[in-house]
Amino acid sequence: MREKLIRPLIAGNWKMYKTPSEAEDFARELREIPKFDDRDILVCPPFTAIAKVRKVLDQTGIFVGAQNVYPAEEGAFTGEISPKMIKEAGAQYVICGHSERRQIFNEDDEFISKKVKIVLQYGMIPILCVGETLMQNEAGETFNVVEAQLKTGLKKVSDNEIKNVVIAYEPVWAIGTGKNATPQQAQTVHSFIRKILKEMFGDIASSIRILYGGSVKPENIDQLMAEQDINGVLVGGASLKIDSFSRIIGFNKNH
Ligand code: PGA
């Protein structure tokens, strides 16, 4: 098997969990776990905890991200948060178009494409989430759905910017359900995603990180990371506890 050249990214999405003080305590624990120089680690706390977590993780090499952003510099958008605000709070990455945003808050691909663009303009790294629902999966529409999400979601991204974009494939039926895609199922979609990226942006596609997300746990991380086109993971539930998250960070793809 060809050795992977892409530096893996292990990302935790804390969703609507952890108050600022709880997040700060967790970041302190994270500071103490063994480090690896061949992989990147990212945590995405709720907005209210970004600044505190960034401060605790300063100088550790562990990155901090936001879970969402509103695609405007500022303005009368009650309840929303701007790229400038999260950047100043310490965000280096931003999750864009998570399936919970798409499903619960009706975000569509057009709107998500604006988020991806503005995050790049502010010098942060967007993680564009794509993935099919159970119904779409059962109807055999996985590839069509993912292709459309990529093509619209990335349509404002220039050839120069694409190297700073991360893609996360998260089949909706696998999120928070305990039902993960098998490593082979995920690999098939990841390699399809890389093919679409190649059509859109050329050879740079071979260096773009494609993460898998959906019920990633200590029990399946090694097998997932052994797949050629899986360059990391986006972890929800299992990123909230230090034991499971540190085991995931310490994955061994040759296991
Ligand atoms: P999960 O969530 O790991 O709890 O399935 C993943 C995600 O929503 O990013």
Side-chain angles (χ1 to χ4, degrees):
M1 197 169 80
R2 198 155 42 94
E3 196 46 37
K4 284 192 215 176
L5 299 172
I6 305 177
R7 190 177 163 82
L9 173 64
I10 306 297
N13 169 15
W14 294 354
K15 307 194 178 184
M16 202 173 73
Y17 294 97
K18 298 191 191 294
T19 65
S21 62
E22 289 165 351
E24 196 178 11
D25 289 347
F26 189 91
R28 284 213 181 85
E29 291 185 73
L30 200 56
R31 219 166 42 180
E32 304 308 321
I33 68 167
K35 297 293 170 318
F36 298 84
D37 55 16
D38 64 347
R39 58 201 68 177
D40 288 337
I41 305 169
L42 163 70
V43 288
C44 300
F47 295 129
T48 47
I50 291 174
K52 277 198 159 161
V53 169
R54 179 73 196 273
K55 195 156 174 235
V56 175
L57 296 179
D58 198 34
Q59 311 289 337
T60 61
I62 300 175
F63 295 101
V64 180
Q67 300 170 20
N68 187 27
V69 72
Y70 189 80
E73 184 168 310
E74 58 185 7
F77 301 104
T78 302
E80 292 297 327
I81 189 149
S82 79
K84 204 167 148 188
M85 293 168 190
I86 53 174
K87 184 164 173 137
E88 191 174 317
Q92 296 152 300
Y93 285 75
V94 186
I95 299 173
C96 300
H98 188 278
S99 66
E100 285 149 19
R101 301 293 323 168
R102 293 175 186 264
Q103 295 200 310
I104 306 170
F105 303 99
N106 294 323
E107 291 190 6
D108 62 18
D109 290 318
E110 280 294 329
F111 187 54
I112 293 163
S113 75
K114 295 185 186 151
K115 298 189 179 201
V116 170
K117 183 70 181 181
I118 205 160
V119 167
L120 287 165
Q121 286 169 333
Y122 277 84
M124 298 178 286
I125 300 178
I127 301 179
L128 171 63
C129 298
V130 298
E132 81 286 7
T133 62
L134 182 61
M135 242 168 74
Q136 292 165 332
N137 181 280
E138 287 173 346
E141 289 168 3
T142 300
F143 290 151
N144 288 344
V145 169
V146 167
E147 179 171 351
Q149 289 172 333
L150 286 171
K151 289 207 164 140
T152 309
L154 296 174
K155 71 177 188 184
K156 299 184 197 308
V157 175
S158 71
D159 287 351
N160 260 338
E161 290 171 323
I162 188 67
K163 61 178 185 302
N164 296 322
V165 174
V166 176
I167 307 294
Y169 170 57
E170 301 204 302
V172 179
W173 47 271
I175 295 179
T177 57
K179 248 203 283 174
N180 61 292
T182 66
Q184 294 72 23
Q185 278 174 321
Q187 166 59 29
T188 305
V189 182
H190 281 227
S191 114
F192 174 77
I193 290 173
R194 207 174 298 285
K195 185 184 114 202
I196 300 296
L197 292 173
K198 187 156 188 207
E199 282 170 25
M200 294 177 74
F201 298 100
D203 286 342
I204 186 88
S206 59
S207 59
I208 295 173
R209 279 164 157 175
I210 308 174
L211 314 183
Y212 169 77
S215 297
V216 174
K217 353 173 223 258
E219 294 76 29
N220 56 26
I221 184 66
D222 294 340
Q223 292 87 329
L224 285 163
M225 290 305 296
E227 295 294 336
Q228 180 64 37
D229 290 294
I230 300 183
N231 314 118
V233 283
L234 183 53
V235 190
S239 74
L240 295 169
K241 296 254 158 53
I242 199 71
D243 289 351
S244 46
F245 195 44
S246 61
R247 171 62 186 87
I248 289 169
I249 289 168
F251 74 85
N252 175 3
K253 66 185 164 72
N254 302 314
H255 200 62

